[in-house]
Amino acid sequence: MHPRNLHRSGYPMAKLCQSYPALRAHLISAKSGQQSIDFANPDSVKALNAALLIHYYGMSMWDIPAGYLCPPVPGRADYIHGIADLLSAENNGKTPTGSKINGLDVGVGANAIYPIIGSQTYGWRFVGSDIDDVALSCANTLIDNNSRLKPLLAVRKQHSKDNIFAGIIQPDEHFTFSLCNPPFHKSARDAATGSQRKMSGLERSKQKLSRKGKTSGTQGSKLNFAGQNNELWCEGGELAFIQRMISQSVDVQQQVDWFTCLVSKSAHLKAIETSVKYVGAKKFIKVDMGQGQKISRFVAWTFKDNKAQVSE
């Protein structure tokens, strides 16, 4: 994980339970003898997320509707810290903080995870966009019920499924960066298959614990990898979405310093870089991130040659 990631040392369950007592009902004994949760239980995963966001990021409350994406906090934090490093490289090595740094979260979702981490870690201001009314309503509930978040996040509805930036970025607005966790499946069937594959892995781990006399605490086989259609898949999958983003970034190239996007499949990187160079971007950067054995990455591109230093 990133050196500034607050979750590098794992989950201090006792402290998390002090910050969010409802987490206690979800604790189990892991193979190591440490307290953990059943990561195959969506209610337990949501309780852990709420505890993390309350304990580390000062939220008063956090919740999402059933069936909406419940993201792993440590990996999302790594993306934010990676963007901070990208900005610091153009700020004499100093990480820029404060509300003069404006971020656009494309697909903010019901969880608003990136604006929460970015605003509470670095003081950045965010606009979050989404096409889903329920997600926007939930994000607004989080804003209204968290005084630390309210001055630093506003959400807007994207009315066109074909547009990414148009209709969201206003003519007089400027963003230091945009970020996005794109849908990476090509169809609902692919998304369901991927979720079931992950669940099968968790079930195998649970069975190993059971054979060793450990309790898993799982109630049924509900997927914790929830998500609405627009969160999980789009026509053409991840690569098509990112290439559409690259194409549309041309239209707002003077209003966004850095465009960034997560890439789940390394096989897509060459095509993405080719597309970025084709539209005339001046720089293309790939940033690797590691959480345990999992390797993830995001890409970034800019149309600006000699950017002024980031204002702090």
Side-chain angles (χ1 to χ4, degrees):
M1 291 187 191
H2 192 280
R4 293 195 299 276
N5 196 315
L6 298 175
H7 315 290
R8 286 173 58 85
S9 300
Y11 303 130
M13 290 300 182
K15 292 181 179 179
L16 293 176
C17 286
Q18 290 178 355
S19 297
Y20 187 64
L23 179 62
R24 289 195 182 96
H26 299 275
L27 295 183
I28 63 171
S29 179
K31 180 180 178 181
S32 64
Q34 305 264 337
Q35 287 187 317
S36 184
I37 65 163
D38 179 3
F39 286 93
N41 186 322
D43 294 331
S44 298
V45 173
K46 187 164 77 169
L48 176 61
N49 269 25
L52 291 170
L53 296 172
I54 289 169
H55 181 77
Y56 286 105
Y57 302 101
M59 295 295 98
S60 301
M61 62 78 66
W62 182 86
D63 195 13
I64 55 173
Y68 278 74
L69 193 63
C70 190
V73 175
R76 300 315 196 247
D78 260 12
Y79 187 9
I80 290 293
H81 294 308
I83 291 174
D85 288 346
L86 184 70
L87 301 182
S88 69
E90 298 180 329
N91 194 43
N92 294 325
K94 186 176 182 181
T95 301
T97 58
S99 59
K100 289 184 179 180
I101 304 301
N102 296 315
L104 172 62
D105 183 359
V106 176
V108 64
N111 55 72
I113 192 73
Y114 292 118
I116 290 174
I117 296 173
S119 66
Q120 303 310 306
T121 303
Y122 296 111
W124 298 341
R125 187 184 301 274
F126 284 83
V127 168
S129 67
D130 212 289
I131 62 174
D132 187 287
D133 287 325
V134 175
L136 290 169
S137 177
C138 185
N140 272 318
T141 297
L142 294 177
I143 293 169
D144 291 341
N145 286 277
N146 287 286
S147 59
R148 294 179 58 165
L149 185 62
K150 195 166 189 176
L152 296 174
L153 173 60
V155 295
R156 300 172 185 172
K157 183 172 183 178
Q158 174 56 268
H159 293 278
S160 171
K161 291 184 178 181
D162 295 327
N163 292 336
I164 295 175
F165 303 111
I168 296 298
I169 299 179
Q170 302 305 304
D172 59 344
E173 280 189 309
H174 173 266
F175 290 94
T176 315
F177 64 89
S178 69
L179 63 86
C180 182
N181 181 17
F184 52 85
H185 292 293
K186 294 181 179 180
S187 67
R189 176 180 292 182
D190 285 349
T193 300
S195 291
Q196 192 57 53
R197 187 183 304 115
K198 292 179 181 179
M199 174 55 73
S200 296
L202 287 174
E203 288 292 342
R204 286 193 295 271
S205 296
K206 183 182 70 175
Q207 290 167 8
K208 289 180 181 179
L209 290 177
S210 179
R211 287 196 295 269
K212 291 179 178 293
K214 305 294 183 179
T215 177
S216 71
T218 300
Q219 301 297 323
S221 297
K222 298 178 290 184
L223 292 177
N224 71 323
F225 303 100
Q228 299 299 293
N229 285 342
N230 58 281
E231 293 178 307
L232 299 177
W233 71 273
C234 67
E235 186 174 351
E238 174 184 80
L239 181 57
F241 186 95
I242 296 175
Q243 288 181 322
R244 180 155 55 94
M245 177 182 289
I246 293 167
S247 177
Q248 293 185 18
S249 70
V250 176
D251 298 329
V252 290
Q253 61 180 279
Q254 297 305 314
Q255 293 180 267
V256 181
D257 292 343
W258 282 100
F259 300 89
T260 78
C261 189
L262 287 176
V263 181
S264 68
K265 297 181 179 179
S266 60
H268 293 161
L269 289 170
K270 185 175 181 179
I272 290 170
E273 183 175 6
T274 298
S275 296
V276 167
K277 291 180 178 178
Y278 178 80
V279 298
K282 303 299 183 183
K283 296 179 185 176
F284 174 83
I285 296 173
K286 178 179 72 74
V287 179
D288 289 325
M289 302 178 290
Q291 296 89 40
Q293 296 181 341
K294 180 182 177 182
I295 301 297
S296 59
R297 65 207 59 83
F298 72 89
V299 294
W301 67 96
T302 180
F303 292 88
K304 300 188 176 182
D305 269 316
N306 299 311
K307 270 178 35 60
Q309 290 181 2
V310 177
S311 299
E312 186 174 359

